[in-house]
């Protein structure tokens, strides 16, 4: 059974930084796509950034230029570096992974087979 375990969430002031990590119980190269999603109360879960095994990265417009997604295959870990944080970034952040080969990891309609339990990020003044 594949498990994804997130860490790194917390409370930070506006303009601050956090680095989320997601460790997989399987080798990270078994998942062609990995991604970070987030969900705020009353809102739908949305994809923030996706990472293909070929290192292609796609970002939501709302985080472009502020967030960086990366994957360390040796450590079986997916990261999300979040800089210049804003109050609207406050959400539960989830790690996600797929099982089957795809050539592209879209923000919309990404097929997710595995989810982490989430880590809370709170940005305040």
């Amino acid at each position: 059974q594949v498990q994804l375990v997130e860490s790194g969430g917390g409370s930070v002031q506006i303009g601050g930084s956090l680095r989320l990590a997601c460790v997989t119980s399987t080798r990270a190269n078994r998942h062609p796509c990995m991604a970070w999603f987030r969900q705020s109360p009353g809102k739908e879960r949305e994809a923030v950034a996706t990472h293909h095994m070929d290192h292609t990265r796609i970002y939501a417009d709302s985080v472009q230029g502020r967030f960086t997604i990366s994957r360390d295959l040796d450590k079986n870990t997916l990261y999300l570096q979040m800089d210049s944080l804003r109050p609207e970034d406050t959400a539960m952040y989830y790690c996600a992974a797929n099982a089957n080969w795809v050539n592209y990891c879209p923000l919309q309609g990404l097929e997710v087979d595995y989810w982490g339990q989430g880590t809370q990020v709170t940005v305040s003044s």
Side-chain angles (χ1 to χ4, degrees):
Q1 184 176 359
V2 177
Q3 291 185 323
L4 307 178
V5 180
E6 302 102 328
S7 63
S11 296
V12 65
Q13 291 187 327
I14 295 172
S17 298
L18 285 173
R19 188 192 196 200
L20 306 183
C22 169
V23 179
T24 65
S25 61
T26 52
R27 291 189 61 80
N29 62 9
R30 289 185 58 184
H31 307 291
C33 290
M34 295 192 73
W36 289 98
F37 286 72
R38 68 185 180 188
Q39 187 169 21
S40 304
K43 294 187 178 181
E44 292 187 357
R45 190 173 296 189
E46 62 174 353
V48 172
T50 68
H51 185 284
H52 191 276
M53 194 181 300
D54 68 3
H55 301 292
T56 300
R57 305 165 190 180
I58 301 175
Y59 297 95
D61 289 344
S62 58
V63 305
Q64 180 75 48
R66 300 187 298 120
F67 290 11
T68 302
I69 189 171
S70 61
R71 192 189 320 196
D72 186 329
L73 295 179
D74 291 335
K75 296 182 178 179
N76 298 328
T77 302
L78 181 75
Y79 299 100
L80 185 68
Q81 177 67 41
M82 305 186 295
D83 299 317
S84 302
L85 283 162
R86 305 168 179 170
E88 54 265 39
D89 295 319
T90 295
M92 185 72 78
Y93 283 72
Y94 297 91
C95 176
N98 76 338
N100 300 313
W101 177 260
V102 292
N103 292 321
Y104 178 67
C105 305
L107 286 173
Q108 300 293 331
L110 178 67
E111 183 176 326
V112 175
D113 297 292
Y114 312 106
W115 291 97
Q117 82 289 348
T119 186
Q120 178 67 37
V121 172
T122 302
V123 184
S124 59
S125 57

